[in-house]
Each structure stands twice: as structure tokens, then as C-alpha cells.
Amino acid sequence: MNLTQLLKPLIEQRADPYIYRHTDGYYYFTASVPQYDRIELRRAKTIEGLASAQTRDVWRKPDTGPYSELIWAPEIHFNQGAWYVYFAAAPSREIKNKLFQHRMYAIRNENANPLEGQWEFMGQVDTGIDSFCLDATTFTHQGQLYYLWAQKHEDIEGNSNLYIAPMKTPWQIAGAPVMLSKPEHEWECRGFLVNEGPSVLKKNGKIFISYSASATDHNYAMGLLWADENADLLDPASWHKADQPVLQTCFEHKIYGPGHNSFTVAEDGSTVLLVYHARTYTEIVGDPLWNPDRHTFVKPLRWDADGMPDFGRPSIA
């Protein structure tokens, strides 16, 4: 990827992007659409092919009910022989106690191609904490499926913290949530106190969790947690947290508020790619939430001599 490619969005107006490369050789893509009214999937044999791939709306919100508004941050995963999309949804656009009322849900498709077949609504993924929550992801490590997400705790100031729990099934957790991180550094508390959008990368004997922090304008930035691959992932003491953001606004190249990322692998099967959204201007009118111009970008991830990821700048490989 040259600088021109890195400065150009892969897909415009798609926030919270998630790209997964499956064993069938296809890349699968989903993201928040500007209308927040549906879950959209596309697939292609190459990363660049996703930009022009035909889209399919696999699920649309109902007109009323607990999950009838603001469909946010879907992710597609292949867990235990079936496809799942995890997403957050709210009963309305009403704000209560300074927050929306999102909870997390899952849908399932047992077809080999998730753009075909039927998607089954599996219901709410109940964490045992009845509060604003969003941005769920899953990963399997040493045979155990884990759920990782962002949620409000009534005793902790701010919008959301990061939690992990083991899963009993791909739509049910098996244990009490364990908090891994909360907004505490200045760069995590600009505009709003936020830790959200976790994404998992396993490499070099470590489990890495990237996440996003602060308001969703140019202040949005990414942080990093990591643990040894043989550590107890449900013990908060196993995790280390970077003091500084690992990816933030690049004023030089006019890429603002990078965040809500995912990781995938390039066509060579080994190069780790960072997938994230960002804006290309700062003059946002009104609430940034309703501005559609968060675009999907992709860049290679580099590694330092200690085996740690080097995120660089959003516009530089």
C-alpha cells in the first residue's frame, strides 16, 4: 500500500468496520451504516474487492421494541460451526441518565455463505449487568470462547468500561463479567469518559486488545492492553495497559479521530492489517454521532523489536 492508498478510504461512510477472513478464502465485511437501521454484509476475495462488492441487508430493525433503534457496531464471527453477528441496539433514541439505552444482541446463520440462508435472532446477550452496553466481540483462546465488550457501571464515572467473560454458547456468557479497563488517562476522557470498541489480536506469545477512547470527533483515539498468552485472561492483574494512545489524529494528512478498529490478515496470509474508521475533516455540524462521514481505512501493522505492535500514524504504513 502506498501513501495515496493509505490516505484514501477503502469504503466511505462505514463506521465501526469489521473485516474477517474466513477459511473459504473470502473476506467478510460489516459496519455501522449511517441510518443505524440494519445489518449489512459484503464479501470479496480481496480487501480492495470489498469496496465494490455487492451488499446484502441480512437483518433490519423492527419498528418497535427493545432493539428497534440505533443499530450499532455489528461484528461477524464464525463460532462453533455457525455464523454470528453481534450488535448493539436500543428501544428508542431517548437518552436516560446521560446515555442511550443500548443492550447487546446476536443473530445466527448456519449456511456456509452468510450472505445466503436465513438469519435467526438469538436474543439479548445478557451480561448480568443491566446498563448501557455495546461493541461486543468474541475470540477463542486455548479452546475457550470469550466475550469482550464495553459497558457502563453505575459506580464508575463515564460512559463505558471494558469487560471480559467466558461464554457457555456463542450467545450466552458463562461467568461473571471481569473489568479490564476504565477511562483514567487524560486522552481517554476528552469530551466523554469512554473505553469501547475492543478488538483482539493474538501474536508473538501475547493477547492484544486494542480499544477506543474519548468523544467520537477528532479526539477519538486508540489504546492498547496486552497479556501473556498463557496468563489467566480473567484475572485483571494479567493485563497491562499503555499509558499513551497507540493511534490518534494525524493533522498533517487530515485524518481525524481514528478508532473502533478490527484486525485482519492480508492476502499473503501473514501481514496483519489494521482496519479502522476515521474522518477527513473536523468541521462537524451538530452531534458527531449523526455525521455520516466516518470512513473505513486499512493499513498494515508493524512490529517493534520486542514483538509489540507499532500502529504508527493513521496515514502511514
Side-chain angles (χ1 to χ4, degrees):
M1 291 182 175
N2 58 40
L3 181 58
T4 301
Q5 289 174 304
L6 292 168
L7 291 173
K8 180 182 178 182
L10 175 70
I11 301 173
E12 294 187 347
Q13 295 193 340
R14 289 298 181 269
D16 314 320
Y18 192 85
I19 297 178
Y20 166 66
R21 191 186 193 194
H22 192 44
T23 53
D24 61 3
Y26 280 93
Y27 289 96
Y28 292 86
F29 174 86
T30 189
S32 297
V33 301
Q35 300 82 6
Y36 302 133
D37 64 349
R38 66 190 187 275
I39 294 170
E40 173 193 271
L41 296 181
R42 64 180 80 184
R43 74 172 189 165
K45 285 286 191 178
T46 65
I47 293 287
E48 290 188 1
L50 290 170
S52 57
Q54 183 177 359
T55 63
R56 183 189 168 198
D57 296 339
V58 300
W59 186 85
R60 282 186 171 270
K61 71 176 186 65
D63 293 334
T64 60
Y67 44 91
S68 60
E69 276 289 358
L70 299 176
I71 310 305
W72 286 357
E75 289 195 7
I76 184 167
H77 294 259
F78 191 79
N79 287 332
Q80 300 177 4
W83 293 96
Y84 292 85
V85 172
Y86 303 92
F87 63 97
S92 71
R93 297 190 177 190
E94 181 182 3
I95 294 177
K96 296 182 179 179
N97 300 319
K98 300 181 181 180
L99 289 169
F100 288 108
Q101 299 301 300
H102 284 76
R103 300 297 185 269
M104 298 177 297
Y105 301 89
I107 56 176
R108 178 177 69 183
N109 188 338
E110 296 179 312
N111 195 284
N113 178 0
L115 277 72
E116 300 174 351
Q118 298 298 313
W119 283 88
E120 177 185 6
F121 184 72
M122 304 303 292
Q124 181 179 346
V125 182
D126 185 1
T127 67
I129 306 172
D130 187 23
S131 65
F132 172 76
C133 55
L134 71 169
D135 295 352
T137 193
T138 64
F139 69 100
T140 298
H141 185 58
Q142 297 180 350
Q144 175 64 56
L145 182 63
Y146 291 92
Y147 198 63
L148 178 65
W149 73 99
Q151 187 154 14
K152 167 67 178 176
H153 192 290
E154 63 178 7
D155 296 331
I156 299 175
E157 186 179 2
N159 287 25
S160 58
N161 318 302
L162 298 182
Y163 293 87
I164 190 172
M167 300 196 83
K168 178 172 61 175
T169 69
W171 64 96
Q172 297 170 302
I173 69 170
V178 174
M179 190 180 75
L180 299 184
S181 178
K182 64 181 180 180
E184 53 192 321
H185 300 304
E186 182 274 334
W187 61 269
E188 298 176 292
C189 303
R190 297 174 182 169
F192 294 100
L193 282 69
V194 172
N195 279 185
E196 65 182 18
S199 186
V200 174
L201 176 62
K202 298 195 289 183
K203 196 172 178 68
N204 300 334
K206 296 182 177 66
I207 309 292
F208 298 101
I209 298 176
S210 61
Y211 66 95
S212 297
S214 291
T216 60
D217 54 16
H218 66 280
N219 289 303
Y220 211 47
M222 282 173 47
L224 188 68
L225 307 172
W226 67 94
D228 183 272
E229 65 180 359
N230 294 315
D232 179 1
L233 302 186
L234 298 176
D235 181 358
S238 298
W239 293 91
H240 310 275
K241 181 176 180 177
D243 294 333
Q244 299 297 321
V246 294
L247 193 70
Q248 57 189 323
T249 287
C250 179
F251 289 97
E252 179 184 356
H253 291 118
K254 298 180 173 60
I255 298 182
Y256 306 103
H260 203 115
N261 79 290
S262 58
F263 299 102
T264 192
V265 64
E267 287 89 341
D268 64 9
S270 60
T271 302
V272 177
L273 298 178
L274 175 68
V275 184
Y276 64 97
H277 76 229
R279 303 180 192 273
T280 55
Y281 60 88
T282 59
E283 299 77 19
I284 300 169
V285 177
D287 190 331
L289 176 66
W290 308 112
N291 177 281
D293 292 326
R294 289 181 292 174
H295 309 310
T296 296
F297 289 80
V298 177
K299 60 168 282 186
L301 199 64
R302 291 184 174 178
W303 300 87
D304 68 18
D306 296 323
M308 296 292 288
D310 180 359
F311 291 77
R313 290 191 288 168
S315 55
I316 300 297

